[in-house]
Amino acid sequence: MFPFRRGPARVTPADVHQHTRDEGAVLLDVRERAEWTAGHAPGAVHAPLSALLAGAGLPRYAEGRSLMVICRSGRRSRQAARLLTERGAEAVDVTGGMNAWAAAGLPVVDGHGNRGSIA
């Protein structure tokens, strides 16, 4: 019999604001470049899941910090949070991804800092 394996811890988009502001955590967006450019959370750091799976490291700003991992809906961020945890990082998944972020009325900006959209 195999032991039950839980996935990475999860937080809500509302929790992210507190953790990034009060605790210095980093919101890590693992969507691909076109998705990121169309719209992302202000202050987020971009690290596509495809690059992480290929062995890329974290962006310098995110190294050694608590990570709150987000994608569009939550599937890729769970995978990325698990991968990063296995690599020794402290990473949690943001429930519902950028869809939940935008639905909560939190800001989304495009690659130029204007109002963005979730692709």
Side-chain angles (χ1 to χ4, degrees):
M1 180 174 189
F2 296 101
F4 178 72
R5 289 176 50 119
R6 282 185 45 201
R10 302 185 87 189
V11 295
T12 67
D15 295 331
V16 171
H17 178 69
Q18 177 187 352
H19 292 294
T20 55
R21 182 191 68 211
D22 298 343
E23 300 170 18
V26 171
L27 179 59
L28 187 72
D29 192 320
V30 297
R31 295 174 301 146
E32 296 304 316
R33 170 71 51 199
E35 295 171 289
W36 165 265
T37 302
H40 57 273
V45 174
H46 187 225
L49 176 59
S50 59
L52 294 172
L53 289 171
L58 290 168
R60 182 172 296 239
Y61 180 76
E63 291 176 359
R65 298 178 69 183
S66 296
L67 305 171
M68 311 197 93
V69 186
I70 197 166
C71 66
R72 183 178 52 83
S73 64
R75 186 184 60 79
R76 288 176 286 177
S77 59
R78 279 192 303 273
Q79 183 180 3
R82 180 175 286 123
L83 172 72
L84 293 166
T85 299
E86 289 170 358
R87 290 183 183 177
E90 183 181 323
V92 298
D93 172 39
V94 180
T95 304
M98 287 300 296
N99 287 334
W101 179 276
L106 297 167
V108 177
V109 296
D110 67 11
H112 302 288
N114 301 314
R115 185 179 172 145
S117 63
I118 308 305

